[in-house]
Amino acid sequence: MAIDQHKDIENAQNNGLEDLEAPLITQQRKTVEYDSESSESIVDSGSIGMVLLSTFVAVCGSFEFGSCVGYSAPTQSAITKDLNLSLAQYSMFGSILTIGAMVGAITSGRITDFVGRKWAMRMSACFCILGWLAVFFARGALALDIGRLFTGYGIGILSYVVPVFIAEIAPKNLRGGLTTLNQLMIVTGASFAFLIGSVVSWRMLALIGLIPCIALLLGLFLVPESPRWLAKVERQKEFKTALRKLRGEDADISHEAAEIEEYIVTLQSLPKAKLLDLFQSRYIRSVIVGVGMMVLQQFGGINGIGFYLSQTFEEAGLPSGKVGTVIYAIIQVPITFIGALLVDKSGRRSLVMVSATGTFLGCFLTATGFLLKSNGVLLGWVPIFGVSGILMYISAFSIGMGAVPWVIMSEIFPINIKGVAGSLVVLVNWSGAWLISYTFNFLMSWSMAGTFYIYAAFGALTVLFVAKIVPETKGKTLEEIQASINSKEKILT
């Protein structure tokens, strides 16, 4: 599911596709839009506490996101056995989350702008609660699917509103660090689900999924609304009160308040791009890079492998898939954290190419293990190839391919088309997530080795795609990035 350029993430005039804006896009975008080289946010000891509390409350939604995504991996065997589900029924249960999330993301922009950031998070938490309860009381596939769809819709809204809220409340000098917590907590939530799911029943795990929802609902009573949203809807008194609560009673908020109001006026005056505008010659390369990165990210198989991890480890030779999910949970969080540290040090291109090379090798090893198994030769090597390959794949993906494509996508589109372009790219990503998660079990039934060789091929293709087409964006201004994209000779650093 990580998480710097221009985009009106508060613009109330979002259309359907534009509401699909992703969290990792908004995180990066906000830094440039609200920041000025000449202005510094004043943060005192009182205000930092409220900013941190508000962020902690919001990322309860990110944790919920991760726990929903991670739920299907450790529970597959138990749910299939207890409710006597077919392969197709469980595949639908696993993948329907992405359909709900897609619908949630489509509506998230309008909901968030209409009712505010806090009420949007409350609505999301309520949908997730209903979904978890439906899963807990399920006696058949229909109730499971309804519950999964509801949780999907809830996290679809959360995927948009959480990073938007954090970016809008954080001062300049803290915004980058705080917004990265969104992606980190998503990964933490997924790892938590893997770990807890290995020791409790699937119904109990559904009840545990209620905890971050309840924490979010209660915590929202303690924190202020986004001052930028309040300014946009012309609630001036509440705007100043919220900003002062976040910055401290003794802080001078006049300059920041004036910047926010001026910025909102400027954004409302910009012309609105349409979908067909993306296919103009000056934008087409940016679109190819953005869409291409998302296609390659998803078709590398991450949602298929991640959604059905327990089964995959068992097929690879582990006596218990739960052991594999525990190992996965342990390594995923620290590696994701390392990747977040490296993205601004090593550069986007190099990190993605190293990551994609790792996913290629991981899938190739796993596929080779399955090939040996299907042919009944060197069976002692099957678990070594299979398990080490999957762990290599997960580690490599977490360090780069998980978050960096979102960072690149947030940087390559000029401001006037960023909304519609970002929405198109996110729609492609959600669609790919559904396709891969739904077809994974069918592909594994066809050929386990063939499935992973296909994923390995997309890993290799990613390396070539990045090397030939994707520009380096590290340390460049938006204008320099656009010059790099549109020039005949790419500017590489």
Side-chain angles (χ1 to χ4, degrees), residues 91-131:
S91 295
M92 176 57 70
F93 170 71
S95 63
I96 201 171
L97 179 82
T98 59
I99 297 176
M102 190 183 303
V103 176
I106 290 173
T107 60
S108 62
R110 293 187 183 277
I111 291 172
T112 302
D113 284 327
F114 182 71
V115 302
R117 286 36 172 158
K118 289 175 61 177
W119 274 106
M121 285 188 275
R122 288 187 178 108
M123 181 183 299
S124 303
C126 290
F127 270 99
C128 289
I129 289 172
L130 290 174

Side-chain angles (χ1 to χ4, degrees), residues 305 311-317 362-375 382 386 390 439-456:
I305 297 171
Q311 171 202 349
T312 306
F313 273 121
E314 289 178 2
E315 295 289 355
C363 286
F364 190 85
L365 278 176
T366 304
T368 302
F370 283 138
L371 185 63
L372 295 177
K373 179 180 179 180
S374 63
N375 288 283
V382 172
I390 294 171
T439 59
F440 179 79
N441 284 323
F442 297 106
L443 285 173
M444 290 288 281
S445 297
W446 161 67
S447 171
M448 289 182 286
T451 300
F452 278 86
Y453 278 130
I454 291 172
Y455 294 158

Side-chain angles (χ1 to χ4, degrees), residues 26 35 85 115 125 141 204 215 256 259 273 292 379 401 456 479 490:
T26 58
D35 293 351
L85 300 184
V115 302
M204 181 57 66
E256 185 177 5
E259 275 190 333
L379 295 180
M401 281 299 294
E479 291 74 23
K490 289 189 299 179

Side-chain angles (χ1 to χ4, degrees), residues 18-35:
E18 288 172 342
D19 294 338
L20 275 167
E21 192 61 81
L24 295 176
I25 306 169
T26 58
Q27 293 169 6
Q28 301 294 330
R29 234 171 251 147
K30 303 294 295 185
T31 302
V32 173
E33 292 181 329
Y34 293 132
D35 293 351

Side-chain angles (χ1 to χ4, degrees), residues 41-120:
S41 296
I42 301 174
V43 184
D44 63 22
S45 59
S47 67
I48 189 65
M50 180 52 69
V51 170
L52 292 177
L53 175 62
S54 300
T55 301
F56 174 78
V57 170
V59 296
C60 287
S62 306
F63 189 92
E64 173 66 12
F65 188 125
S67 64
C68 289
V69 171
Y71 179 79
S72 60
T75 59
Q76 179 174 2
S77 298
I79 291 179
T80 303
K81 180 180 179 180
D82 290 352
L83 301 184
N84 195 28
L85 300 184
S86 66
L87 176 64
Q89 287 175 321
Y90 195 82
S91 295
M92 176 57 70
F93 170 71
S95 63
I96 201 171
L97 179 82
T98 59
I99 297 176
M102 190 183 303
V103 176
I106 290 173
T107 60
S108 62
R110 293 187 183 277
I111 291 172
T112 302
D113 284 327
F114 182 71
V115 302
R117 286 36 172 158
K118 289 175 61 177
W119 274 106

Side-chain angles (χ1 to χ4, degrees), residues 164-177:
V164 169
F165 177 75
I166 295 173
E168 289 178 349
I169 65 170
K172 173 183 177 178
N173 58 324
L174 298 177
R175 182 174 294 122

Side-chain angles (χ1 to χ4, degrees), residues 205-458:
L205 187 60
L207 283 184
I208 293 173
L210 298 174
I211 296 175
C213 300
I214 296 171
L216 179 61
L217 286 174
L218 295 177
L220 286 171
F221 288 106
L222 306 176
V223 301
E225 177 60 270
S226 162
R228 287 181 169 86
W229 178 77
L230 292 169
K232 186 181 62 178
V233 296
E234 300 180 350
R235 290 160 61 172
Q236 292 299 316
K237 184 177 179 180
E238 295 172 75
F239 157 57
K240 297 286 180 65
T241 301
L243 188 59
R244 184 168 298 283
K245 192 172 183 181
L246 288 164
R247 299 295 178 258
E249 291 299 324
D250 298 327
D252 181 7
I253 64 170
S254 58
H255 183 70
E256 185 177 5
E259 275 190 333
I260 292 172
E261 291 170 331
E262 181 181 356
Y263 173 73
I264 290 173
V265 171
T266 301
L267 286 176
Q268 291 174 343
S269 67
L270 292 175
K272 190 175 181 180
K274 298 179 181 179
L275 184 62
L276 292 179
D277 294 337
L278 300 180
F279 300 97
Q280 298 177 15
S281 58
R282 55 181 169 170
Y283 302 137
I284 191 63
R285 187 174 177 188
S286 296
V287 173
I288 291 172
V289 171
V291 171
M293 289 300 296
M294 293 306 162
V295 169
L296 292 170
Q297 182 198 59
Q298 289 301 326
F299 280 69
I302 182 59
N303 277 295
I305 297 171
F307 276 29
Y308 309 107
L309 193 64
S310 179
Q311 171 202 349
T312 306
F313 273 121
E314 289 178 2
E315 295 289 355
L318 279 182
S320 172
K322 291 183 177 180
V323 175
T325 58
V326 169
I327 298 173
Y328 170 87
I330 292 172
I331 67 173
Q332 188 184 31
V333 175
I335 291 179
T336 300
F337 181 74
I338 293 171
L341 296 178
L342 290 176
V343 68
D344 280 323
K345 296 182 180 296
S346 64
R348 281 64 156 145
R349 280 166 46 90
S350 57
L351 190 57
V352 170
M353 291 172 71
V354 169
S355 176
T357 301
T359 62
F360 162 75
L361 293 175
C363 286
F364 190 85
L365 278 176
T366 304
T368 302
F370 283 138
L371 185 63
L372 295 177
K373 179 180 179 180
S374 63
N375 288 283
V377 296
L378 299 176
L379 295 180
W381 286 91
V382 172
I384 298 174
F385 277 28
V387 175
S388 63
I390 294 171
L391 293 177
M392 180 185 293
Y393 172 88
I394 295 299
S395 300
F397 185 90
S398 297
I399 205 168
M401 281 299 294
V404 178
W406 293 105
V407 176
I408 293 174
M409 196 272 279
S410 73
E411 297 172 327
I412 59 174
F413 296 116
I415 186 171
N416 59 311
I417 67 161
K418 193 174 285 286
V420 65
S423 299
L424 173 64
V425 170
V426 177
L427 178 60
V428 169
N429 187 273
W430 278 116
S431 300
W434 173 81
L435 183 63
I436 295 302
S437 60
Y438 183 72
T439 59
F440 179 79
N441 284 323
F442 297 106
L443 285 173
M444 290 288 281
S445 297
W446 161 67
S447 171
M448 289 182 286
T451 300
F452 278 86
Y453 278 130
I454 291 172
Y455 294 158
F458 277 102

